[in-house]
Amino acid sequence: MSNDTEQATVFVVDDDEAMRDSLCLLLESVNLNARVFSCAQSFLGAFERHQSGCLLLDVRMPDMSGMTLLDALRSGGIVLPVIMITGHGDVPMAVRAMKQGAFDFIQKPFNARELLDRVHAALEQDRKNRLQRNKTEQCRALFMTLTDREMEVVDLVVAGNPSKIIARTLGISPKTVDIHRANIMRKLDVRTVAEMVQLRLSLRDA
Amino acid sequence: MSNDTEQATVFVVDDDEAMRDSLCLLLESVNLNARVFSCAQSFLGAFERHQSGCLLLDVRMPDMSGMTLLDALRSGGIVLPVIMITGHGDVPMAVRAMKQGAFDFIQKPFNARELLDRVHAALEQDRKNRLQRNKTEQCRALFMTLTDREMEVVDLVVAGNPSKIIARTLGISPKTVDIHRANIMRKLDVRTVAEMVQLRLSLRDA
DNA sequence: ATTCCAATAGGTAAAAACACCTAAGGAAGG
DNA sequence: CCTTCCTTAGGTGTTTTTACCTATTGGAAT
């Protein structure tokens, strides 16, 4: 369960110690909570998916590059906003990063104020993402309490079938369908079909 | 009303005549329908929002740049996939274009096969967008047939209110609410509340 | 002025959904 | 073996929705 009160963290992954230190100082100068890593692997080892914040990621690093780490995060379903930082302007790399869902792609040397602007924007994006995902998770938890049969009935109800048709479809008595429906309404804590449909649809495209 | 059977068009906007001709030949060599423009203004004057296809857009042009045209298209709610083409690698420009929703950002000189790959991908994206928007438009047309009062009732039903509560909310008789509901069901061509909710929600986030 | 339609409302009746009750068969686990 | 849970099903009754019918008011268009 993620915690909204915990402080957001700006993760910094860069193999250059001087850059790490300077970024850390810059971030802490505006009271941002920063954690630095010297390589992609150590970040992957320390980061847990529920942690809120954003990531400042150097593109060019030995062993695992920033692009590879970005790919790894997205493959792992981690949607943390990532600001890529690079010293060597490379358009294809920037385009690839943006297509992979990077929040921004910034060249060194960068303006401190502009970087902080982007960091704040990324943190705000993360906050919004997190709110949405919390709602989705609570919703998913509700549906987890349903049995397989009840899920079948939910989907048939949401599709707009009356109980009589649902009974025929499942080969059971209309009475039993009503029992299932009552149990579903209680478990999902809804009082009308309209609410049930909304709850189900909020999960479909999430 | 957009027409799915009409041929998709690859629009080319570039101030360099040699580039226009070469792109046009390349596109027509794979049986793509191409239309070329020498500046952003002439494209804007000729393009109509229902036309399907994609846009190959040169970044650097006199008067109105490709970036400005991209901004103008997005401001106008035109979601045609745009492939930006530039001769001078510029990371901030690429990032800005991608943030503005460009489909891709390609540097000259480009590989002909790769460009065609991207064009085909853009056309496929446009086809998907268009299918989705057609559905949305049909849906919107249905709701346009509803009166203001009926829209109020729809939203209260979708929110999960029973007729009795809706009547109290609107200060009218439960009987009248039922009349409205019946008219709504007929106009929207749905037979259950679940279908009404789905139809309404498909418009909410579109 | 007349016509058309939206909004209002009542009557009647059938269908559907929802709320309670009981209860049996089967599978899983302690 | 016993308990627990899922699934099944019937009974009874209330509430809600839906489908027909008629009918008045008021505004907008012709």
Side-chain angles (χ1 to χ4, degrees), chain A residues 147 149 172-173 175-176 179-180:
Chain A
T147 66
R149 196 55 149 177
I172 59 180
S173 158
K175 190 67 214 183
T176 305
I179 305 291
H180 285 315

Side-chain angles (χ1 to χ4, degrees), chain B residues 147-150 172-173 175-176 179-180 187:
Chain B
T147 66
D148 292 349
R149 197 53 148 177
E150 285 165 350
I172 59 181
S173 157
K175 191 66 215 185
T176 305
I179 305 292
H180 286 315
K187 286 184 178 179

Side-chain angles (χ1 to χ4, degrees), chain A residues 6-103:
Chain A
E6 80 181 359
Q7 177 69 25
T9 304
V10 180
F11 298 91
V12 175
V13 178
D14 198 315
D15 63 317
D16 176 14
E17 185 175 355
M19 180 58 66
R20 286 200 302 273
D21 291 346
S22 115
L23 278 173
C24 196
L25 278 175
L26 175 63
L27 293 166
E28 288 174 346
S29 76
V30 291
N31 291 320
L32 286 172
N33 184 13
R35 280 185 68 187
V36 298
F37 300 87
S38 61
C39 70
Q41 286 89 348
S42 63
F43 170 76
L44 278 174
F47 181 76
E48 288 166 49
R49 59 188 312 114
H50 66 78
Q51 293 183 277
S52 67
C54 68
L55 169 60
L56 293 184
L57 178 56
D58 188 30
V59 172
R60 174 172 308 223
M61 290 187 296
D63 290 341
M64 183 185 287
S65 77
M67 278 304 307
T68 309
L69 176 55
L70 178 61
D71 289 349
L73 291 177
R74 295 306 182 230
S75 303
I78 293 172
V79 292
L80 192 74
V82 176
I83 297 174
M84 308 291 286
I85 297 178
T86 179
H88 307 273
D90 182 336
V91 168
M93 187 66 80
V95 171
R96 183 176 157 211
M98 296 306 287
K99 284 187 189 170
Q100 271 290 75
F103 182 80

Side-chain angles (χ1 to χ4, degrees), chain A residues 54-160:
Chain A
C54 68
L55 169 60
L56 293 184
L57 178 56
D58 188 30
V59 172
R60 174 172 308 223
M61 290 187 296
D63 290 341
M64 183 185 287
S65 77
M67 278 304 307
T68 309
L69 176 55
L70 178 61
D71 289 349
L73 291 177
R74 295 306 182 230
S75 303
I78 293 172
V79 292
L80 192 74
V82 176
I83 297 174
M84 308 291 286
I85 297 178
T86 179
H88 307 273
D90 182 336
V91 168
M93 187 66 80
V95 171
R96 183 176 157 211
M98 296 306 287
K99 284 187 189 170
Q100 271 290 75
F103 182 80
D104 213 331
F105 190 98
I106 293 176
Q107 281 178 298
K108 288 186 268 194
F110 47 80
N111 177 289
R113 227 182 336 256
E114 284 178 17
L115 179 72
L116 287 178
D117 276 352
R118 301 313 298 150
V119 168
H120 284 297
L123 291 175
E124 176 61 16
Q125 180 67 51
D126 181 61
R127 205 185 57 80
K128 282 182 188 165
N129 290 347
R130 219 156 275 277
L131 278 177
Q132 181 55 48
R133 265 177 297 155
N134 274 350
K135 273 192 270 187
T136 302
E137 269 318 301
Q138 286 172 19
C139 185
R140 195 186 310 279
L142 282 177
F143 279 96
M144 289 285 286
T145 68
L146 299 185
T147 66
D148 292 349
R149 196 55 149 177
E150 285 164 350
M151 275 303 300
E152 290 186 277
V153 175
V154 163
D155 283 340
L156 287 166
V157 170
V158 170

Side-chain angles (χ1 to χ4, degrees), chain B residues 36-50:
Chain B
V36 299
F37 301 87
S38 61
C39 70
Q41 286 89 348
S42 62
F43 170 77
L44 279 175
F47 181 77
E48 288 166 50
R49 59 188 311 115
H50 65 79

